[in-house]
């Protein structure tokens, strides 16, 4: 733990910066004007041999800021376009960065004014331009960022002079604030949410789409609105101006706030939720009942859960107790709540978990002091040299140390394996980073060594003293012959 704490030191951070060209295949750093609690990868706009242009969604939390005229500044969703270099294209010097300078790889397209700060945001898989958001309110909001009229025409003015972008619809059903637990099934057909009311609610995406279509045909006027509500969300009068979709299913079983929820990547019927009651609960939408549990799975609040794409029975949880646990769902019962593995390399609350869609066993976690750990649970128990063991256990394959504030969101790029977006919040530490791990770090050691052997003379050039006596004589003779050729006039070469 002490070795991780020292990473907050300026000297250690400086050493990490100097290693960026070696640790990463590609890296971009951008300080953000406002704290950003969410970042998500969007759809691919353009791609060629050397780079990809891809949309990126970033949120801005303005903390009740006002303009010089006293008008409230809205919280926003920023639609950006990121220019991502393909693997093994970025030169090392391009990754030497200034943490106070904005990266040129990110271009803003437009902003959406959101009714309240965005605590959690998710994209619909395969249709990443459709966003679902959580704020400090019971309702959720759906936005289609590709819809016509998403500019000024979609702005709804409020009684206090502020405005917000009209959502495609509002998702209703929670009786208390639903701030963090949010998931969309892999096939994009269902939305799940959990809140302070200790309930998990499910909406059908078909209801959302039909409600948006009805609103377009109705052609209602949403240009004016009543006074804004305190905190986040919309007032009753404001909600009536937009399509409202009510939840279809409801699951009860938690006894405290639900912090996260995730669908089985292979089934839109199965999901899992975690919360401040320290329980991991499984649900089946076909029976509308609980389908298993790990009660008191951690010793403190559970903040995050992820479900493996490659092993349908494996889940990962992260907790305020600083531990990360890997679970085999098949072994859980009322009498057995024992994880497959427990990792204790974090030193503060674990806030995020994200499973790598491209590699079995790999996932990343982020904590409150700015560390992002990349684990591979298939490497647990692997043999290590004494030197390797100093760096950490075999399952900890990488640690990203670029953030100096609390990491609020992490996301693997679904269209670019091993590429990550992460965002942090803190005093003068509001930062967005886009990065791809150098593949020499996670590929099999034998494979990497074989590749490096082809470039050994460039990587480790041999000095003259390292050469054999015979080789030195041959080099000297070749050098003498070169000098003779240079001193001989062109016309006398034959003679």
């Amino acid at each position: 733990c002490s070795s991780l704490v020292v990473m907050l030191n300026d000297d250690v951070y400086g050493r990490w910066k100097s290693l960026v060209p070696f640790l990463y295949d590609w890296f971009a750093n951008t300080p953000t004007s406002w704290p950003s609690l969410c970042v998500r990868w969007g759809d691919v706009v353009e791609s060629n041999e050397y780079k990809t242009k891809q949309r990126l969604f970033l949120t801005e939390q303005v903390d009740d800021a006002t303009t010089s005229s006293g008008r409230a500044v809205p919280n926003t969703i920023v639609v950006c376009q990121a220019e991502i270099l393909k693997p093994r294209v970025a030169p090392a010097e391009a990754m030497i960065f200034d943490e106070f300078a904005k990266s040129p790889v990110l271009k803003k397209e437009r902003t959406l004014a959101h009714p309240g700060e965005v605590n959690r945001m998710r994209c619909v898989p395969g249709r990443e331009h459709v966003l679902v958001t959580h704020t400090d309110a019971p309702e959720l909001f759906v936005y289609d960022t590709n819809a016509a009229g998403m500019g000024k025409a979609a702005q709804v003015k409020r009684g206090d002079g502020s405005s917000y972008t009209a959502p495609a619809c509002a998702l209703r059903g929670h009786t208390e604030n639903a701030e963090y637990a949010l998931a969309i099934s892999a096939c994009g057909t269902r939305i799940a949410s959990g809140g302070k009311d200790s309930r998990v609610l499910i909406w059908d995406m078909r209801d959302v789409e039909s409600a948006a279509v009805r609103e377009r045909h109705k052609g209602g006027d949403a240009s004016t609105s009543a006074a804004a509500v305190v905190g986040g969300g919309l007032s009753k009068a404001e909600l009536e101006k937009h399509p409202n979709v009510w939840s279809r299913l409801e699951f009860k079983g938690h006894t405290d706030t639900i912090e996260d929820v995730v669908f089985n990547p292979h089934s839109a019927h199965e999901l899992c939720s975690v919360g401040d009651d320290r329980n991991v609960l499984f649900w089946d939408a076909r029976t509308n009942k609980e389908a298993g549990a790990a009660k008191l799975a951690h010793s403190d609040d559970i903040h995050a859960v992820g479900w493996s794409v490659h092993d349908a029975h494996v889940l990962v949880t992260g907790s305020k107790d600083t531990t990360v646990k890997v679970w085999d769902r098949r072994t859980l019962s009322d009498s057995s709540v024992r994880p497959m593995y427990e990792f204790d390399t974090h030193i503060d609350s674990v806030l995020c978990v994200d499973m790598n869609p491209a590699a079995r066993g790999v996932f990343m976690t982020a904590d409150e002091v700015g560390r992002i750990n990349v684990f591979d649970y298939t490497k647990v128990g692997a043999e290590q040299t004494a030197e390797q063991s100093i760096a950490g256990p075999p399952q900890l394959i990488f640690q990203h140390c670029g953030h100096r504030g609390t990491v609020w969101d992490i996301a693997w790029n679904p269209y670019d394996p091993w590429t990550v977006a992460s965002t942090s919040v803190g005093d003068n530490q509001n930062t967005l980073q886009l990065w791809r791990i150098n593949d020499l770090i996670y590929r099999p050691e034998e494979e990497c060594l074989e590749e490096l052997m082809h470039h050994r003379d460039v990587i480790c050039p041999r000095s003259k003293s390292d050469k054999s006596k015979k080789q030195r004589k041959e080099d000297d003779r070749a050098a003498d012959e070169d000098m003779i050729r240079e001193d001989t006039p062109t016309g006398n070469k034959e003679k």
Side-chain angles (χ1 to χ4, degrees):
C1 285
S2 59
S3 62
L4 296 178
V5 173
V6 79
M7 288 182 180
L8 301 176
N9 181 281
D10 288 343
D11 292 337
V12 176
Y13 176 73
R15 287 198 294 273
W16 170 82
K17 279 183 62 178
S18 69
L19 292 172
V20 166
F22 305 97
L23 297 174
Y24 302 88
D25 178 78
W26 175 74
F27 184 89
N29 177 87
T30 292
T32 56
S33 302
W34 297 100
S36 178
L37 304 184
C38 309
V39 62
R40 292 287 108 180
W41 293 102
D43 52 315
V44 173
V45 178
E46 180 184 328
S47 183
N48 60 35
E49 185 180 357
Y50 300 105
K51 61 186 178 182
T52 298
K53 290 185 178 180
Q54 185 174 355
R55 286 200 173 87
L56 190 79
F57 302 104
L58 184 72
T59 64
E60 293 180 321
Q61 180 191 33
V62 299
D63 294 325
D64 300 322
T66 57
T67 64
S68 56
S69 60
R71 180 175 298 177
V73 175
N75 294 276
T76 59
I77 300 172
V78 184
V79 183
C80 304
Q81 198 172 111
E83 191 173 272
I84 308 165
L85 293 184
K86 293 289 183 70
R88 303 204 171 193
V89 170
E93 57 268 21
M95 292 189 285
I96 299 174
F97 68 99
D98 177 359
E99 61 259 53
F100 303 107
K102 293 198 173 185
S103 172
V105 307
L106 210 62
K107 306 293 183 185
K108 182 188 293 188
E109 288 186 354
R110 59 186 177 278
T111 59
L112 311 179
H114 192 272
E117 64 182 49
V118 183
N119 299 321
R120 192 63 55 91
M121 176 171 61
R122 293 290 182 262
C123 300
V124 176
R127 293 185 296 157
E128 285 80 10
H129 59 277
V130 179
L131 307 176
V132 183
T133 64
H134 261 321
T135 187
D136 296 334
E139 60 269 10
L140 292 72
F141 299 105
V142 179
Y143 288 91
D144 184 348
T145 60
N146 282 357
M150 285 302 287
K152 291 185 178 179
Q155 298 298 303
V156 181
K157 294 182 180 178
R158 313 179 94 170
D160 62 355
S162 65
S163 62
Y164 66 91
T165 302
C169 70
L171 305 182
R172 308 281 300 276
H174 282 293
T175 56
E176 296 184 54
N177 285 2
E179 298 174 349
Y180 295 107
L182 176 61
I184 303 176
S185 62
C187 56
T189 58
R190 280 180 165 156
I191 301 168
S193 168
K196 290 186 175 181
D197 56 9
S198 304
R199 298 185 301 159
V200 176
L201 303 183
I202 305 290
W203 291 266
D204 193 308
M205 188 59 74
R206 291 171 297 183
D207 296 339
V208 173
E209 293 166 349
S210 60
V213 169
R214 288 196 303 271
E215 179 67 12
R216 285 199 295 270
H217 288 318
K218 186 177 70 174
D221 178 20
S223 59
T224 58
S225 177
V229 296
V230 176
L234 301 177
S235 66
K236 182 178 180 181
E238 288 173 326
L239 284 169
E240 290 175 353
K241 292 183 173 293
H242 309 291
N244 285 216
V245 175
W246 293 85
S247 58
R248 284 200 176 198
L249 296 175
E250 173 185 322
F251 298 116
K252 294 181 178 180
H254 283 283
T255 58
D256 208 333
T257 299
I258 298 172
E259 296 281 0
D260 201 9
V261 62
V262 63
F263 278 97
N264 182 338
H266 303 284
S267 173
H269 303 295
E270 299 178 5
L271 61 157
C272 175
S273 57
V274 297
D276 292 349
D277 57 6
R278 310 176 187 181
N279 294 333
V280 179
L281 302 184
F282 296 90
W283 311 97
D284 193 322
R286 291 164 294 200
T287 62
N288 200 21
K289 293 180 180 179
E290 185 179 308
K295 299 292 181 69
L296 300 179
H298 284 265
S299 60
D300 212 329
D301 302 350
I302 306 176
H303 290 153
V305 60
W307 201 318
S308 173
V309 177
H310 306 276
D311 296 319
H313 55 279
V314 174
L315 294 95
V316 177
T317 55
S319 169
K320 188 178 179 180
D321 65 13
T322 76
T323 65
V324 172
K325 295 185 179 183
V326 182
W327 304 89
D328 184 339
R329 182 186 177 187
R330 300 169 300 182
T331 66
L332 298 177
S333 65
D334 293 338
S335 59
S336 175
V337 186
R338 181 176 297 177
M340 289 172 58
Y341 310 114
E342 180 175 335
F343 306 148
D344 60 358
T345 51
H346 283 287
I347 60 168
D348 211 320
S349 298
V350 179
L351 302 180
C352 313
V353 171
D354 197 24
M355 311 298 293
N356 189 323
R360 176 178 177 265
V362 178
F363 64 94
M364 61 178 168
T365 57
D367 64 29
E368 203 160 336
V369 294
R371 303 284 72 80
I372 299 175
N373 289 339
V374 180
F375 295 100
D376 183 348
Y377 60 75
T378 67
K379 295 185 181 299
V380 172
E383 291 186 9
Q384 287 183 296
T385 64
E387 185 178 4
Q388 289 173 333
S389 64
I390 295 173
Q395 65 269 13
L396 179 60
I397 61 174
F398 191 78
Q399 188 174 68
H400 179 68
C401 306
H403 291 289
R404 309 194 73 189
T406 298
V407 177
W408 274 99
D409 205 6
I410 51 178
W412 294 104
N413 190 333
Y415 298 108
D416 192 341
W418 292 91
T419 301
V420 177
S422 55
T423 182
S424 63
V425 173
D427 293 338
N428 301 315
Q429 301 297 339
N430 302 322
T431 306
L432 167 69
Q433 294 182 344
L434 310 177
W435 42 283
R436 183 189 300 118
I437 303 172
N438 187 330
D439 63 8
L440 294 175
I441 292 174
Y442 58 82
R443 284 165 51 202
E445 184 176 348
E446 297 78 10
E447 184 181 310
C448 294
L449 289 174
E450 182 180 354
E451 178 183 338
L452 292 173
M453 286 295 289
H454 294 299
H455 308 283
R456 61 182 177 181
D457 291 336
V458 176
I459 299 171
C460 304
R462 292 184 295 172
S463 65
K464 191 171 183 178
S465 61
D466 294 331
K467 298 180 180 179
S468 65
K469 185 176 180 180
K470 181 180 179 181
Q471 183 64 48
R472 288 199 299 271
K473 283 185 177 181
E474 291 178 356
D475 290 347
D476 290 341
R477 184 170 59 250
D480 291 340
E481 291 174 355
D482 289 340
M483 290 176 64
I484 293 171
R485 282 194 294 270
E486 290 173 2
D487 293 339
T488 304
T490 304
N492 295 332
K493 279 188 177 179
E494 242 178 51
K495 185 175 178 182

